[in-house]
Amino acid sequence: MNQPRSSGNDQTSADTVLVTGATGYIGSHTCIELLASGYDVIGVDNFDNSEAVVLDRIAELAGRPIAFAELDIRDTDALRKVVAEHQPAAVIHFAGLKAVGESVAYPDKYWSVNVGGTLSLLDAIADSAVTKFVFSSSCTVYGDPAEVPVNESTPVAPISPYGRTKLTAEEMIRDILSTRDCSGLLLRYFNPVGAHESGRIGEDPVGVPNNLMPFAMQVAVGRRDSLSIFGDDYDTPDGTCVRDYIHVVDLADGHVAALKALDATDTCEIVNLGTGTGSSVLDVVNAAGEAVGTPIAHQVVGRRDGDAAIVFADTTKAEAMLGWKAERTMADMCRDHWAWQSQNPNGYE
Ligand code: NAD
Ligand code: UFG
């Protein structure tokens, strides 16, 4: 264990956190918030969907680096060596594959990384000093919920291999932690968007973006001609789908709050991380245009298969258990996403 080190906030000792998927979109923002809160970080990633330059940017923004090992989380021996060397007290497990369409085409890959990789990680930390485990799950496990807002008791019904791997990983983590002196939080994220306010790190999708905000911002920066809006005939106020968009830095802060909350519990709990506010596709397109300074070119096309009309979170449990609430607005999300996209038009190069 590292020596306790004083910090400028209420974190009194610097525990070490193992962060898998540390150079990815949410992982990189979380590393910065962890460092700012006085934690030390040992990150791991195989750069399947991220770039090594992210490590330099984390150090630049946080004022100190994270320790890092390039590895595949399915390599249990390599993970075990990292755990033995750094003696983390907590794990935040982001590493995984997240594209719904790809999961339909390559379900074997998704089960291998998202479920096999999670089992490998749990194996690697067995008999270690890890007493807190945080997992990146997704509101995709709720499928098309019958009622909103969605709380943690809403029935789960994932409709893609991706969603099923997330749900299976949740169940596996719960079963295995119940046999150990290790508490857990299974965090179901809603729709993360935005970037660090500096614009130095952000989301860098490979190929054509699947998600709304990255696509809209690539239109704004001239990489794409026009955004297709998938349907305006839903039973929603303006006919387009409604989602709960959350600023990635608020989400990152939610992980710091999660680690602190885990000190006070010995259970494994599910918690939704969203804002509790729904925004339609047109709301996002309009807010993005405001942030950019010119409208986002768009046209309405047919519905996309599998889209639910309205999904947004009930945030009661997150507020009660984590003492955390998202603070940033849609305007903040668009401003910061644009800062990233405009400064890095082609992403990390
Ligand atoms: P991301 O792809 O940017 O980050 C994931 C990281 O994991 C990448 O850096 C990738 O290189 C790494 N990785 C993938 N396979 C690996 C392996 N076998 N070994 C080691 N590293 C590996 O994705 P993100 O948006 O930062 O998402 C992080 C987590 O949050 C994922 O588990 C994802 O399923 C979950 N999540 C994301 C969203 C979202 O919309 N971004 C929503 C809900 C849940
Ligand atoms: N949309 C468009 N045009 C686009 C992209 C998206 O109109 O080019 C619409 C979609 O139809 C949907 C809304 O914008 O109505 C949001 O779509 P996203 O793809 O950005 O987000 P989803 O809610 O479909 O799902 C995303 C991830 C899931 C994850 C979920 C919750 O793809 O894996 O957020 O975190 F589970």
Side-chain angles (χ1 to χ4, degrees):
M1 181 80 68
N2 289 350
Q3 288 300 310
R5 191 170 42 74
S6 68
S7 66
N9 54 39
D10 61 354
Q11 177 72 22
T12 53
S13 69
D15 285 335
T16 298
V17 184
L18 170 61
V19 177
T20 74
T23 46
Y25 175 44
I26 307 170
S28 57
H29 289 83
T30 302
C31 285
I32 289 171
E33 298 309 309
L34 289 169
L35 291 171
S37 297
Y39 292 96
D40 289 330
V41 174
I42 164 66
V44 299
D45 205 297
N46 67 351
F47 300 126
D48 180 73
N49 194 35
S50 56
E51 304 289 334
V53 68
V54 173
L55 295 167
D56 300 333
R57 304 232 179 147
I58 291 171
E60 169 196 317
L61 294 172
R64 62 189 176 107
I66 64 167
F68 183 79
E70 181 177 348
L71 58 77
D72 189 309
I73 54 166
R74 291 167 295 182
D75 185 344
T76 315
D77 287 341
L79 267 177
R80 209 176 272 125
K81 282 190 191 121
V82 167
V83 171
E85 184 184 345
H86 294 272
Q87 295 284 310
V91 171
I92 305 181
H93 178 31
F94 294 105
L97 305 178
K98 62 170 182 175
V100 174
E102 188 189 50
S103 80
V104 175
Y106 305 103
D108 46 350
K109 208 169 128 183
Y110 275 68
W111 283 92
S112 174
V113 174
N114 291 358
V115 175
T118 300
L119 184 58
S120 166
L121 174 61
L122 288 164
D123 195 5
I125 60 171
D127 305 317
S128 76
V130 172
T131 56
K132 298 184 271 192
F133 192 97
V134 179
F135 175 60
S136 296
S137 190
S138 169
C139 73
T140 201
V141 299
Y142 298 114
D144 187 354
E147 285 183 16
V148 287
V150 175
N151 67 37
E152 291 79 359
S153 304
T154 295
V156 288
I159 57 172
S160 70
Y162 168 63
R164 287 188 283 277
T165 63
K166 283 289 167 186
L167 186 58
T168 301
E170 283 189 7
E171 290 168 345
M172 188 171 70
I173 291 164
R174 190 202 299 281
D175 281 349
I176 292 175
L177 294 191
S178 75
T179 66
R180 298 184 184 171
D181 179 20
C182 185
S183 52
L185 275 166
L186 311 172
L187 302 179
R188 292 178 176 166
Y189 312 151
F190 281 63
N191 292 56
V193 296
H196 190 271
E197 63 178 4
S198 65
R200 295 288 289 158
I201 59 170
E203 186 173 13
D204 185 15
V206 176
V208 180
N210 295 310
N211 301 118
L212 177 61
M213 184 72 86
F215 201 110
M217 290 298 174
Q218 290 196 6
V219 172
V221 84
R223 278 175 68 180
R224 320 247 161 229
D225 292 337
S226 179
L227 171 77
S228 293
I229 294 182
F230 299 136
D232 66 352
D233 56 353
Y234 286 92
D235 185 15
T236 61
D238 65 20
T240 65
C241 294
V242 170
R243 295 287 182 275
D244 188 338
Y245 298 92
I246 177 170
H247 196 297
V248 67
V249 176
D250 277 334
L251 192 61
D253 287 340
H255 290 76
V256 177
L259 287 185
K260 291 179 179 163
L262 282 174
D263 286 330
T265 179
D266 56 5
T267 60
C268 182
E269 297 271 347
I270 294 164
V271 176
N272 287 341
L273 292 189
T275 64
T277 301
S279 302
S280 73
V281 175
L282 281 173
D283 290 336
V284 174
V285 170
N286 291 335
E290 289 283 322
V292 169
T294 50
I296 307 294
H298 64 271
Q299 75 284 339
V300 176
V301 300
R303 291 182 176 196
R304 183 173 72 176
D305 280 350
D307 275 339
I310 306 186
V311 185
F312 63 94
D314 182 331
T315 60
T316 311
K317 187 171 179 184
E319 287 173 39
M321 194 174 166
L322 310 186
W324 165 92
K325 194 172 169 20
E327 291 170 355
R328 292 166 179 81
T329 64
M330 176 56 71
D332 297 333
M333 299 176 211
C334 292
R335 178 199 61 213
D336 295 340
H337 209 119
W338 178 237
W340 154 253
Q341 189 71 77
S342 54
Q343 289 176 44
N344 306 270
N346 297 310
Y348 295 110
E349 289 182 288

